[in-house]
Amino acid sequence: MAELSDVVANGRPTRTIAVESEDAAGVIQAVRELGLGGYTNTSYLRGLAALIDDEPVRYAVIDVGTNSIKFHIAEQGVAGAWRTVVDRAR
């Protein structure tokens, strides 16, 4: 089952798409077939808060190597500049 919604919050529009099923593999396949594989999966409430609060988009990377593990979180501001939130290595 999939649901498409156009939402306006504080005059700011966005579109949400929800794909739901008890079959996780089916959801992943449907998301790919819809061409949405490259988008961030987020909850409706978090997305709505980001829309209203101008919350910057965050990305995380985990790099597991032979001798170390690196963890990096950064957020991209409205102007496109990146800001490091967390940067750790062990």
Side-chain angles (χ1 to χ4, degrees):
M1 177 167 54
E3 176 183 304
L4 172 68
S5 300
D6 289 310
V7 179
V8 179
N10 284 351
R12 300 184 67 192
T14 192
R15 176 170 279 175
T16 69
I17 300 172
V19 178
E20 300 176 6
S21 174
E22 292 180 7
D23 177 14
V27 170
I28 292 169
Q29 180 180 350
V31 168
R32 287 183 181 145
E33 288 178 6
L34 289 167
L36 302 172
Y39 287 88
T40 302
N41 182 14
T42 188
S43 73
Y44 185 85
L45 291 177
R46 182 155 174 84
L48 187 59
L51 181 67
I52 292 171
D53 297 336
D54 288 324
E55 181 179 291
V57 177
R58 285 190 174 179
Y59 295 90
V61 176
I62 299 173
D63 179 10
V64 179
T66 303
N67 297 317
S68 67
I69 298 174
K70 297 177 183 177
F71 178 64
H72 186 87
I73 298 176
E75 60 187 23
Q76 188 174 23
V78 178
W82 289 95
R83 182 182 80 81
T84 297
V85 178
V86 175
D87 190 24
R88 295 194 178 135
R90 297 264 189 239

